[in-house]
Amino acid sequence: AKTAGRGRVVAYTDQLGESYSSHVNELELFRNALSKNEIIAFAQTQVDAKTKQITGCEILARWRHPHRGIISPDQFIPLAEELNLVAELDQIILGQAIDLDAKLLAVGKPLGSISVNVSASRLASPTLLTELQARQDLPDGLVFEILETAHLDTLDVDVAQTVSDIKDLGIRIEIDDFGTGHASLASILALEPHALKIDGMFVPGIDTQPERAELMRSLISVAEQFGAETVVEGVETLEEAEVLAQLGADKLQGYAFSRPMSIQSLVEQMSGLKTF
Ligand code: C2E
Ligand code: CA
Ligand code: CA
Ligand code: CA
């Protein structure tokens, strides 16, 4: 299974050996993991850029493997893609995001927003809208982070119409990884998102190199011109956070504030806060 086109999978199977049979074995392991509830939601907080108060969180999938510990999505999303199970993965994670919302409500600490990642294949799924409409328990602050917007026009469905119907359900739309090859300017015109999530690759150096800060300023001003908010991810230091607040970013996410954590940890942290 060692082909260039499968780079990410090779990196993963390297631990176990690179044979075709071990790759097939990995696929089977992942398929079982989904049905055995080993795919779980972690959450990373987002803060208001000015006040640094927690405003919401992004839900990030993890594979809790019985022997290998916590495995990151970069290692199992390619398996899900190969098995055509990304839409199912996203659905499972949405269910856990809704559970989190209920738990936070129960301790009297609801978050303003709970964001989930939505793959292009899930957006194209003919059952997505009816599934969403059937749920009585959609959180008020639910956000869909749309991935791979560069490829949306190759899908067989009218994605702009689907996204518009999703907005009608009260779900906010954000374009993920904005500024990278995965997310295009055209997608802003087509989807009219509530916010752009500016990719973490643009963050390092904004506090030390003027040209880096200028590039970030331009990205934020693109969002402003379209009336969209900005969330900047990958913020690792408080110095970067300070510059971003000055440049007018709305929300920040990154190790400077918190690492992705289990749902239980987040609920404990939130219930311990007197205010937020
Ligand atoms: P993403 O949506 O761009 O998520 C942000 C990634 O940046 C996460 O990686 C997060 O852990 C990481 N991160 C957060 N703060 C920092 C920081 O300060 N510095 C750096 N260097 N990184 C930071 P993670 O959790 O490994 O997820 C990787 C990607 O996997 C995500 O990128 C997303 O595209 C995908 N993914 C995660 N969960 C799901 C899911 O439920 N469904 C789908 N379809 N994709 C998912
Ligand atoms: Ca995301
Ligand atoms: Ca992102
Ligand atoms: Ca990313």
Side-chain angles (χ1 to χ4, degrees):
K2 186 161 185 168
T3 60
R6 211 175 255 168
R8 288 182 292 180
V9 172
V10 168
Y12 184 68
T13 52
D14 268 347
Q15 301 167 6
L16 300 175
E18 294 160 4
S19 68
Y20 174 72
S21 66
S22 81
H23 177 62
V24 170
N25 190 35
E26 280 306 298
L27 290 171
E28 219 31 59
L29 270 176
F30 175 76
R31 192 195 294 281
N32 289 331
L34 269 181
S35 55
K36 289 192 295 187
N37 301 324
E38 287 174 13
I39 304 300
I40 56 167
F42 266 40
Q44 184 179 33
T45 56
Q46 294 179 346
V47 304
D48 181 281
K50 296 215 165 56
T51 65
K52 310 290 188 289
Q53 306 257 23
I54 296 173
T55 58
C57 70
E58 177 180 4
I59 304 294
L60 295 158
R62 296 289 182 268
W63 179 357
R64 188 169 49 196
H65 191 282
H67 308 302
R68 291 185 224 150
I70 301 285
I71 298 173
S72 80
D74 291 336
Q75 297 184 316
F76 61 80
I77 299 252
L79 301 175
E81 276 166 359
E82 201 170 336
L83 291 164
N84 243 321
L85 289 173
V86 187
E88 186 173 325
L89 171 96
D90 287 355
Q91 188 181 10
I92 290 171
I93 293 294
L94 174 64
Q96 297 187 30
I98 292 171
D99 287 349
L100 168 63
D101 181 64
K103 285 178 178 146
L104 289 172
L105 272 177
V107 298
K109 297 287 157 98
L111 284 171
S113 64
I114 294 183
S115 307
V116 296
N117 290 287
V118 176
S119 60
S121 62
R122 175 106 159 111
L123 266 190
S125 154
T127 56
L128 174 64
L129 270 170
T130 42
E131 272 169 36
L132 291 173
Q133 282 154 353
R135 298 208 79 127
Q136 305 298 313
D137 52 357
L138 287 180
D140 287 341
L142 188 59
V143 176
F144 278 8
E145 294 188 6
I146 313 262
L147 299 159
E148 312 137 60
T149 51
H151 306 119
L152 291 182
D153 56 354
T154 65
L155 295 175
D156 242 8
V157 294
D158 185 349
V159 173
Q161 184 58 49
T162 305
V163 165
S164 156
D165 292 342
I166 290 171
K167 286 180 190 163
D168 288 342
L169 293 171
I171 298 171
R172 283 170 55 90
I173 299 294
E174 302 188 356
I175 304 267
D176 207 352
D177 295 351
F178 184 68
T180 71
H182 299 290
S184 68
L185 280 170
S187 65
I188 308 182
L189 290 175
L191 306 184
E192 300 178 7
H194 297 93
L196 303 182
K197 277 198 93 169
I198 297 175
D199 196 80
M201 73 172 287
F202 300 103
V203 173
I206 54 171
D207 53 331
T208 51
Q209 296 162 250
E211 67 277 15
R212 291 277 168 159
E214 278 313 310
L215 180 55
M216 180 60 75
R217 188 195 300 281
S218 308
L219 291 167
I220 292 171
S221 104
V222 168
E224 283 169 351
Q225 278 161 41
F226 285 96
E229 291 196 341
T230 44
V231 185
V232 182
E233 59 187 357
V235 182
E236 296 190 354
T237 69
L238 294 175
E239 289 78 12
E240 292 162 356
E242 211 32 65
V243 172
L244 288 163
Q246 280 163 20
L247 292 175
D250 296 300
K251 289 175 188 165
L252 310 179
Q253 179 183 343
Y255 300 156
F257 304 101
S258 95
R259 300 240 160 202
M261 64 187 109
S262 70
I263 294 299
Q264 193 193 343
S265 302
L266 181 66
V267 172
E268 278 167 14
Q269 182 185 320
M270 293 301 295
S271 42
L273 286 183
K274 292 197 178 58
T275 59
F276 71 92

